[in-house]
Amino acid sequence: MTATGPAAPMAGSAVDASADQATMGAATSFRRLSERTLPHAAPDVVRPDYDRASTRIGTVHFGPGAFHRAHQAFYFDRLLEQDTGRAICAVSLKSSLVRDALAPQDGLYTLIELDAHPTLRVIGAIREALVAAEDPRLVSARLAAPDTSLVTITVTEKGYCLDGGGELDFDHPDIAHDLRHPEGPRSLIGWLARGLQLRHERGLAPCLIVSCDNLPDNGVTLRRAVLAFAARRDPALARWIEERARFPRTMVDSITPATDSALRSSVAQALQLQDAWPVQRERFVQWVVEETDAATQPDWESVGVTLSRDVSAYERAKLRLLNGAHSALAYLGLLAGLETVAQAMAEPMLRAFIERLMIEDIQPTLGAPRGAELAAYTRSILYRFENPAMRHQLAQIAWDGSQKLPIRLLGTIADAIRDRRPLARLALAVAAWMHFIRSRVALGMPIVDPLGEQLAVCGRRATGDSRHDLPMFLDLPGIFPANLARHAEFIRALGDAYDSIAARGPLAALALA
Ligand code: CS2
């Protein structure tokens, strides 16, 4: 495989059959989706409108989970219609699941856009899938290739290895490892520094590095982390990155329920081919990228990406309104025994609570967009949450709460305290997270969270009494900023909310907030 020529056939095509079986579920009577079988797909399936064989890899993407495949890869599929140098090399840091599912399919997979009349689309933008832990040389070659001009990223909040203050956590085991072994990194930050170092040594321009994760000021935060890492390794490299590399902020949005076996079966029926890992999302999709002076950018706007000088305000509105409401709905809904977002929205008390939370508590903390625009945005989010075509599991949103709460709710709470606004509803959402941990532990369920072990200890020790339980949760590392964890008014509101849920149950507690 050459790093600069046309994309080679997918690496690892001879994947073992057991991985296929594991991901395939019941739909085994159809042939497997691939370049060869694609012409036999059902006629109404939308398929790549370009010659895949003549495309070249120009983008390295870290973290090709369902969100990437449903979102950025969809935009790149359209870019490839006009610009053949934009194909994607999809890099998983450790897991081989995506590579093993996509390699036998030549990188092809199905995207279902969900609404009353779903659309099936086969996406061809991923031309290569790699696992960095298994193929570090190939990943380095892609990052250092002259054709590669873009690196995009969706590794979720925890993939950035940040501490509670949003700075690179030098105590993180992967970061400590990567500083000792920069040629064989494990972390995203280590890989970005490695790629930039190789380009620097070869006299190539840095790639445009585009974080697409739900972090406030994602580009700025990523740049700080990469610079901090590089400064410890090689000050000259850090200076070059500082001067030359660009890390635009972005806002990404599309609700993407995880793939389940029902989806695999229905896609096989509709496609008339087996797809080991189709992905689904709502039809609504949005990507806002900050304008930069980087020379080798794609023609973003031609495929519906918005370029903007001021992404922060939109990003903040999305993180606080959509993601904040999502998390509140997840914890309260799960405590109430509900399973999906649409079910939670069909519960009148919960829907009314979420609407008030968004309009009365979150909106006033947002400077922009203003007034009517913000009200329309809130309405559209509520409408999207109600989408009956989606089975979006609340549990999926509840994962990684220790990483999500600070970004989605605690900033809003800090602003509400500053502006002397009521805290009851916001506190109820945070208290619901604590009860959620307690209830999962009581049910013997695993806590999916980087702080899972510490949270499980809190959950085991919790009694349901705020005076006993709150200090344990508030003292967890990296979640509650010290000034918030000690703020008397916040502690009072949180204690009231926590005890109210314990005494009355989640739905009755809503009525009082
Ligand atoms: C969700 C997000 O899983 C979650 O935590 O809140 O993935 C949400 O669906 C997306 O950010 C929507 O763009």
Side-chain angles (χ1 to χ4, degrees):
M1 186 184 65
T2 56
T4 51
M10 292 286 291
S13 302
V15 72
D16 87 30
S18 59
D20 279 2
Q21 296 303 327
T23 44
M24 204 78 80
T28 44
S29 53
F30 297 105
R31 278 178 297 172
R32 185 81 177 258
L33 169 65
S34 70
E35 283 281 2
R36 197 170 44 79
T37 59
L38 184 59
H40 305 289
D44 54 345
V45 173
V46 184
R47 52 200 93 199
D49 201 10
Y50 51 88
D51 173 22
R52 284 188 91 216
S54 61
T55 61
R56 282 169 299 118
I57 289 174
T59 304
V60 173
H61 181 84
F62 284 97
F67 186 76
H68 165 67
R69 283 176 282 142
H71 187 276
Q72 298 97 46
F74 159 80
Y75 285 99
F76 277 81
D77 207 47
R78 293 158 79 181
L79 267 176
L80 283 165
E81 290 170 13
Q82 28 166 315
D83 183 351
T84 51
R86 296 288 173 190
I88 298 171
C89 165
V91 179
S92 309
L93 289 175
K94 294 173 187 153
S95 163
S96 61
L97 290 176
V98 170
R99 194 261 328 263
D100 292 350
L102 294 193
Q105 301 182 176
D106 304 317
L108 296 170
Y109 62 93
T110 319
L111 166 65
I112 300 92
E113 294 169 299
L114 297 163
D115 63 12
H117 305 286
T119 308
L120 262 73
R121 198 183 274 280
V122 171
I123 301 286
I126 297 183
R127 293 298 325 270
E128 180 177 59
L130 299 175
V131 180
E134 293 178 27
D135 283 319
R137 284 213 183 89
L138 292 180
V139 174
S140 295
R142 279 297 175 211
L143 286 169
D147 267 3
T148 304
S149 58
L150 200 64
V151 173
T152 54
I153 297 152
T154 50
V155 292
T156 77
E157 298 85 344
K158 60 179 176 259
Y160 289 75
C161 304
L162 304 174
D163 63 18
E167 305 298 327
L168 185 65
D169 180 2
F170 285 103
D171 293 330
H172 191 292
D174 287 350
I175 297 299
H177 169 275
D178 292 356
L179 282 169
R180 286 195 309 274
H181 306 285
E183 286 82 28
R186 288 184 184 154
S187 71
L188 167 76
I189 303 300
W191 270 111
L192 293 177
R194 173 76 182 142
L196 286 162
Q197 181 205 357
L198 290 170
R199 297 186 78 85
H200 185 213
E201 285 168 7
R202 290 175 193 189
L204 294 168
C207 298
L208 183 68
I209 302 179
V210 186
S211 164
C212 303
D213 277 300
N214 285 323
L215 294 174
D217 286 331
N218 48 13
V220 178
T221 306
L222 177 60
R223 178 176 184 271
R224 239 183 8 245
V226 172
L227 279 174
F229 185 94
R232 290 251 175 133
R233 288 282 321 148
D234 174 357
L237 173 65
R239 272 197 302 282
W240 181 75
I241 296 173
E242 192 159 19
E243 280 165 23
R244 301 280 308 276
R246 299 288 178 268
F247 298 76
R249 297 171 173 91
T250 62
M251 189 267 250
V252 292
D253 192 7
S254 192
I255 297 176
T256 308
T259 301
D260 55 17
S261 50
L263 183 78
R264 285 196 179 91
S265 311
S266 65
V267 166
Q269 294 298 335
L271 194 65
Q272 298 289 293
L273 294 170
Q274 289 172 18
D275 181 347
W277 206 338
V279 294
Q280 58 183 339
R281 63 160 162 77
E282 62 182 333
R283 196 173 291 281
F284 176 91
V285 58
Q286 189 177 21
W287 194 1
V288 187
V289 177
E290 186 176 31
E291 280 181 34
T292 67
D293 58 1
T296 52
Q297 301 194 50
D299 184 357
W300 297 108
E301 285 172 311
S302 68
V303 292
V305 178
T306 306
L307 276 177
S308 168
R309 277 179 209 284
D310 180 16
V311 175
S312 300
Y314 290 90
E315 187 186 38
R316 191 172 151 114
K318 190 252 168 176
L319 289 174
R320 290 191 174 191
L321 279 170
L322 188 151
N323 297 110
H326 241 177
S327 288
L329 206 55
Y331 299 123
L332 288 159
L334 286 166
L335 287 179
L338 302 163
E339 212 186 311
T340 67
V341 173
Q343 278 169 8
M345 290 296 286
E347 181 60 58
M349 303 260 281
L350 203 40
R351 192 200 182 284
F353 173 83
I354 290 295
E355 188 169 4
R356 286 190 73 187
L357 181 80
M358 292 171 84
I359 295 174
E360 294 179 33
D361 302 317
I362 304 176
Q363 274 190 20
T365 71
L366 299 168
R370 290 184 184 283
E373 216 183 320
L374 214 43
Y377 185 48
T378 296
R379 274 198 305 279
S380 76
I381 293 170
L382 290 166
Y383 180 74
R384 289 165 62 196
F385 285 180
E386 284 168 333
N387 186 346
M390 303 231 289
R391 278 190 55 76
H392 190 195
Q393 300 288 331
L394 294 169
Q396 183 186 336
I397 303 165
W399 294 339
D400 291 346
S402 73
Q403 310 289 299
K404 292 176 176 175
L405 283 190
I407 293 167
R408 299 174 173 206
L409 287 165
L410 301 186
T412 306
I413 290 176
D415 288 354
I417 291 173
R418 184 200 57 206
D419 299 342
R420 300 180 187 285
R421 304 186 53 81
L423 297 179
R425 279 180 293 267
L426 291 160
L428 201 73
V430 178
W433 167 69
M434 295 173 174
H435 277 292
F436 161 79
I437 298 293
R438 193 172 156 240
S439 69
R440 295 303 104 161
V441 171
L443 291 168
M445 294 168 77
I447 307 291
V448 182
D449 194 296
L451 289 190
E453 279 173 32
Q454 283 140 291
L455 286 168
V457 172
C458 288
R460 261 196 304 281
R461 293 195 183 142
T463 59
D465 179 343
S466 66
R467 279 165 306 181
H468 175 267
D469 298 354
L470 247 46
M472 285 191 304
F473 283 104
L474 291 172
D475 280 352
L476 285 163
I479 305 180
F480 296 92
N483 53 357
L484 195 59
R486 283 195 291 272
H487 196 280
E489 203 190 327
F490 173 60
I491 294 175
R492 202 175 317 116
L494 193 58
D496 288 349
Y498 191 85
D499 292 335
S500 177
I501 293 176
R504 301 177 181 83
L507 294 183
L510 294 177
L512 300 176

mmCIF file of all heavy atoms in Angstrom, residues 67 157 214 252-256 282 318 322-323 326-327 384 392 396-399 404 408, ligand 1:
data_model
loop_
_atom_site.group_PDB
_atom_site.id
_atom_site.type_symbol
_atom_site.label_atom_id
_atom_site.label_comp_id
_atom_site.label_asym_id
_atom_site.label_seq_id
_atom_site.Cartn_x
_atom_site.Cartn_y
_atom_site.Cartn_z
ATOM 1 N N PHE A 67 -20.987 7.756 15.407
ATOM 2 C CA PHE A 67 -21.234 9.172 15.131
ATOM 3 C C PHE A 67 -20.416 9.638 13.919
ATOM 4 O O PHE A 67 -20.931 10.315 13.035
ATOM 5 C CB PHE A 67 -20.932 10.051 16.357
ATOM 6 C CG PHE A 67 -21.327 11.479 16.106
ATOM 7 C CD1 PHE A 67 -22.660 11.852 16.135
ATOM 8 C CD2 PHE A 67 -20.376 12.434 15.775
ATOM 9 C CE1 PHE A 67 -23.051 13.164 15.855
ATOM 10 C CE2 PHE A 67 -20.744 13.738 15.498
ATOM 11 C CZ PHE A 67 -22.087 14.106 15.551
ATOM 12 N N GLU A 157 -15.422 12.665 24.982
ATOM 13 C CA GLU A 157 -14.790 13.564 25.959
ATOM 14 C C GLU A 157 -13.550 12.912 26.592
ATOM 15 O O GLU A 157 -12.499 13.524 26.732
ATOM 16 C CB GLU A 157 -15.788 13.925 27.069
ATOM 17 C CG GLU A 157 -17.044 14.676 26.610
ATOM 18 C CD GLU A 157 -18.181 13.771 26.121
ATOM 19 O OE1 GLU A 157 -17.938 12.574 25.845
ATOM 20 O OE2 GLU A 157 -19.315 14.272 25.993
ATOM 21 N N ASN A 214 -18.008 16.791 21.574
ATOM 22 C CA ASN A 214 -18.851 17.700 22.344
ATOM 23 C C ASN A 214 -18.100 18.308 23.526
ATOM 24 O O ASN A 214 -18.422 18.072 24.679
ATOM 25 C CB ASN A 214 -20.075 16.939 22.879
ATOM 26 C CG ASN A 214 -21.099 16.671 21.803
ATOM 27 O OD1 ASN A 214 -21.328 17.498 20.922
ATOM 28 N ND2 ASN A 214 -21.729 15.515 21.865
ATOM 29 N N VAL A 252 -20.904 20.012 16.090
ATOM 30 C CA VAL A 252 -21.456 18.895 15.322
ATOM 31 C C VAL A 252 -22.777 18.500 15.960
ATOM 32 O O VAL A 252 -22.919 18.547 17.182
ATOM 33 C CB VAL A 252 -20.513 17.667 15.320
ATOM 34 C CG1 VAL A 252 -19.257 17.943 14.534
ATOM 35 C CG2 VAL A 252 -20.177 17.224 16.725
ATOM 36 N N ASP A 253 -23.724 18.123 15.141
ATOM 37 C CA ASP A 253 -25.021 17.760 15.714
ATOM 38 C C ASP A 253 -25.770 16.787 14.812
ATOM 39 O O ASP A 253 -25.991 17.070 13.635
ATOM 40 C CB ASP A 253 -25.857 19.040 15.926
ATOM 41 C CG ASP A 253 -27.096 18.779 16.777
ATOM 42 O OD1 ASP A 253 -27.229 17.657 17.309
ATOM 43 O OD2 ASP A 253 -27.915 19.703 16.910
ATOM 44 N N SER A 254 -26.104 15.646 15.361
ATOM 45 C CA SER A 254 -27.070 14.735 14.773
ATOM 46 C C SER A 254 -27.263 13.608 15.786
ATOM 47 O O SER A 254 -26.280 13.032 16.266
ATOM 48 C CB SER A 254 -26.577 14.143 13.443
ATOM 49 O OG SER A 254 -27.659 13.499 12.804
ATOM 50 N N ILE A 255 -28.477 13.332 16.141
ATOM 51 C CA ILE A 255 -28.720 12.308 17.167
ATOM 52 C C ILE A 255 -28.564 10.935 16.521
ATOM 53 O O ILE A 255 -29.205 10.627 15.512
ATOM 54 C CB ILE A 255 -30.102 12.508 17.810
ATOM 55 C CG1 ILE A 255 -30.124 13.875 18.517
ATOM 56 C CG2 ILE A 255 -30.410 11.371 18.784
ATOM 57 C CD1 ILE A 255 -31.455 14.262 19.120
ATOM 58 N N THR A 256 -27.693 10.122 17.117
ATOM 59 C CA THR A 256 -27.252 8.865 16.497
ATOM 60 C C THR A 256 -27.444 7.704 17.467
ATOM 61 O O THR A 256 -26.534 7.361 18.218
ATOM 62 C CB THR A 256 -25.745 9.012 16.122
ATOM 63 O OG1 THR A 256 -25.578 10.202 15.369
ATOM 64 C CG2 THR A 256 -25.255 7.838 15.327
ATOM 65 N N GLU A 282 -30.918 10.538 13.079
ATOM 66 C CA GLU A 282 -32.057 11.334 12.619
ATOM 67 C C GLU A 282 -31.681 11.991 11.293
ATOM 68 O O GLU A 282 -30.503 12.106 10.953
ATOM 69 C CB GLU A 282 -32.380 12.409 13.664
ATOM 70 C CG GLU A 282 -31.231 13.383 13.888
ATOM 71 C CD GLU A 282 -31.510 14.426 14.949
ATOM 72 O OE1 GLU A 282 -32.679 14.757 15.178
ATOM 73 O OE2 GLU A 282 -30.528 14.932 15.542
ATOM 74 N N LYS A 318 -25.585 24.535 21.889
ATOM 75 C CA LYS A 318 -25.894 23.127 21.631
ATOM 76 C C LYS A 318 -25.528 22.267 22.842
ATOM 77 O O LYS A 318 -26.300 21.413 23.266
ATOM 78 C CB LYS A 318 -25.132 22.667 20.377
ATOM 79 C CG LYS A 318 -25.548 21.304 19.862
ATOM 80 C CD LYS A 318 -24.518 20.258 20.109
ATOM 81 C CE LYS A 318 -25.014 18.861 19.859
ATOM 82 N NZ LYS A 318 -24.011 17.821 19.997
ATOM 83 N N LEU A 322 -29.117 21.188 24.071
ATOM 84 C CA LEU A 322 -29.416 19.824 23.602
ATOM 85 C C LEU A 322 -28.771 18.783 24.516
ATOM 86 O O LEU A 322 -29.454 17.924 25.081
ATOM 87 C CB LEU A 322 -28.938 19.640 22.159
ATOM 88 C CG LEU A 322 -29.368 18.309 21.512
ATOM 89 C CD1 LEU A 322 -29.512 18.465 20.010
ATOM 90 C CD2 LEU A 322 -28.458 17.134 21.808
ATOM 91 N N ASN A 323 -27.449 18.866 24.692
ATOM 92 C CA ASN A 323 -26.788 17.821 25.473
ATOM 93 C C ASN A 323 -27.148 17.914 26.953
ATOM 94 O O ASN A 323 -27.303 16.885 27.626
ATOM 95 C CB ASN A 323 -25.272 17.873 25.265
ATOM 96 C CG ASN A 323 -24.878 17.603 23.818
ATOM 97 O OD1 ASN A 323 -24.424 18.488 23.116
ATOM 98 N ND2 ASN A 323 -25.067 16.384 23.351
ATOM 99 N N HIS A 326 -30.541 16.457 27.232
ATOM 100 C CA HIS A 326 -30.411 15.017 26.997
ATOM 101 C C HIS A 326 -29.974 14.294 28.280
ATOM 102 O O HIS A 326 -30.556 13.276 28.659
ATOM 103 C CB HIS A 326 -29.334 14.778 25.938
ATOM 104 C CG HIS A 326 -29.823 14.101 24.703
ATOM 105 N ND1 HIS A 326 -29.009 13.874 23.632
ATOM 106 C CD2 HIS A 326 -31.030 13.572 24.362
ATOM 107 C CE1 HIS A 326 -29.681 13.257 22.686
ATOM 108 N NE2 HIS A 326 -30.920 13.067 23.098
ATOM 109 N N SER A 327 -28.934 14.823 28.926
ATOM 110 C CA SER A 327 -28.433 14.157 30.129
ATOM 111 C C SER A 327 -29.474 14.194 31.238
ATOM 112 O O SER A 327 -29.688 13.195 31.938
ATOM 113 C CB SER A 327 -27.114 14.798 30.592
ATOM 114 O OG SER A 327 -26.087 14.445 29.685
ATOM 115 N N ARG A 384 -37.149 17.166 18.008
ATOM 116 C CA ARG A 384 -36.231 16.073 17.637
ATOM 117 C C ARG A 384 -36.238 14.976 18.704
ATOM 118 O O ARG A 384 -36.189 13.785 18.391
ATOM 119 C CB ARG A 384 -34.824 16.629 17.435
ATOM 120 C CG ARG A 384 -34.698 17.476 16.185
ATOM 121 C CD ARG A 384 -33.414 18.308 16.191
ATOM 122 N NE ARG A 384 -32.228 17.497 16.211
ATOM 123 C CZ ARG A 384 -31.009 17.949 16.529
ATOM 124 N NH1 ARG A 384 -30.830 19.227 16.851
ATOM 125 N NH2 ARG A 384 -29.986 17.147 16.510
ATOM 126 N N HIS A 392 -33.888 5.774 20.744
ATOM 127 C CA HIS A 392 -32.613 6.252 21.280
ATOM 128 C C HIS A 392 -32.580 5.926 22.766
ATOM 129 O O HIS A 392 -33.315 6.504 23.568
ATOM 130 C CB HIS A 392 -32.511 7.778 21.051
ATOM 131 C CG HIS A 392 -31.146 8.321 21.337
ATOM 132 N ND1 HIS A 392 -30.909 9.656 21.488
ATOM 133 C CD2 HIS A 392 -29.952 7.713 21.501
ATOM 134 C CE1 HIS A 392 -29.630 9.845 21.727
ATOM 135 N NE2 HIS A 392 -29.022 8.686 21.741
ATOM 136 N N GLN A 396 -27.629 5.013 26.680
ATOM 137 C CA GLN A 396 -26.513 5.436 25.825
ATOM 138 C C GLN A 396 -26.049 6.848 26.221
ATOM 139 O O GLN A 396 -24.858 7.151 26.245
ATOM 140 C CB GLN A 396 -26.976 5.405 24.365
ATOM 141 C CG GLN A 396 -25.889 5.749 23.368
ATOM 142 C CD GLN A 396 -26.427 5.842 21.926
ATOM 143 O OE1 GLN A 396 -27.460 5.247 21.569
ATOM 144 N NE2 GLN A 396 -25.736 6.596 21.090
ATOM 145 N N ILE A 397 -27.011 7.709 26.532
ATOM 146 C CA ILE A 397 -26.681 9.095 26.903
ATOM 147 C C ILE A 397 -26.100 9.140 28.323
ATOM 148 O O ILE A 397 -25.250 9.968 28.631
ATOM 149 C CB ILE A 397 -27.948 9.973 26.819
ATOM 150 C CG1 ILE A 397 -28.541 9.898 25.409
ATOM 151 C CG2 ILE A 397 -27.648 11.415 27.211
ATOM 152 C CD1 ILE A 397 -29.956 10.428 25.314
ATOM 153 N N ALA A 398 -26.576 8.218 29.172
ATOM 154 C CA ALA A 398 -26.157 8.235 30.583
ATOM 155 C C ALA A 398 -24.690 7.854 30.772
ATOM 156 O O ALA A 398 -24.086 8.209 31.783
ATOM 157 C CB ALA A 398 -27.055 7.286 31.397
ATOM 158 N N TRP A 399 -24.103 7.137 29.790
ATOM 159 C CA TRP A 399 -22.696 6.735 29.913
ATOM 160 C C TRP A 399 -21.801 7.949 30.112
ATOM 161 O O TRP A 399 -22.052 9.022 29.588
ATOM 162 C CB TRP A 399 -22.206 6.032 28.646
ATOM 163 C CG TRP A 399 -22.851 4.712 28.354
ATOM 164 C CD1 TRP A 399 -23.496 3.881 29.216
ATOM 165 C CD2 TRP A 399 -22.911 4.066 27.074
ATOM 166 N NE1 TRP A 399 -23.936 2.759 28.544
ATOM 167 C CE2 TRP A 399 -23.592 2.844 27.243
ATOM 168 C CE3 TRP A 399 -22.451 4.405 25.804
ATOM 169 C CZ2 TRP A 399 -23.822 1.963 26.186
ATOM 170 C CZ3 TRP A 399 -22.676 3.537 24.758
ATOM 171 C CH2 TRP A 399 -23.356 2.324 24.962
ATOM 172 N N LYS A 404 -19.420 14.194 31.135
ATOM 173 C CA LYS A 404 -20.439 15.013 30.465
ATOM 174 C C LYS A 404 -21.022 16.102 31.368
ATOM 175 O O LYS A 404 -21.310 17.205 30.908
ATOM 176 C CB LYS A 404 -21.570 14.107 29.952
ATOM 177 C CG LYS A 404 -21.137 13.197 28.814
ATOM 178 C CD LYS A 404 -22.257 12.238 28.407
ATOM 179 C CE LYS A 404 -21.863 11.391 27.195
ATOM 180 N NZ LYS A 404 -22.872 10.379 26.859
ATOM 181 N N ARG A 408 -22.021 19.902 30.318
ATOM 182 C CA ARG A 408 -23.422 20.075 29.934
ATOM 183 C C ARG A 408 -24.261 20.815 30.970
ATOM 184 O O ARG A 408 -25.231 21.484 30.623
ATOM 185 C CB ARG A 408 -24.053 18.696 29.687
ATOM 186 C CG ARG A 408 -23.361 17.961 28.578
ATOM 187 C CD ARG A 408 -23.878 16.552 28.417
ATOM 188 N NE ARG A 408 -23.291 15.947 27.228
ATOM 189 C CZ ARG A 408 -23.838 14.979 26.531
ATOM 190 N NH1 ARG A 408 -24.994 14.477 26.909
ATOM 191 N NH2 ARG A 408 -23.248 14.503 25.468
HETATM 192 C C1 CS2 B 1 -25.944 12.538 23.474
HETATM 193 C C2 CS2 B 1 -25.217 13.023 22.210
HETATM 194 O O1 CS2 B 1 -25.043 10.411 23.921
HETATM 195 C C3 CS2 B 1 -25.123 11.575 24.294
HETATM 196 O O2 CS2 B 1 -24.590 11.953 25.328
HETATM 197 O O3 CS2 B 1 -26.327 13.642 24.213
HETATM 198 O O4 CS2 B 1 -24.547 12.019 21.576
HETATM 199 C C4 CS2 B 1 -26.188 13.720 21.252
HETATM 200 O O5 CS2 B 1 -27.116 12.819 20.720
HETATM 201 C C5 CS2 B 1 -25.434 14.380 20.119
HETATM 202 O O6 CS2 B 1 -24.497 15.281 20.648
HETATM 203 C C6 CS2 B 1 -26.395 15.091 19.186
HETATM 204 O O7 CS2 B 1 -25.688 15.851 18.284
#
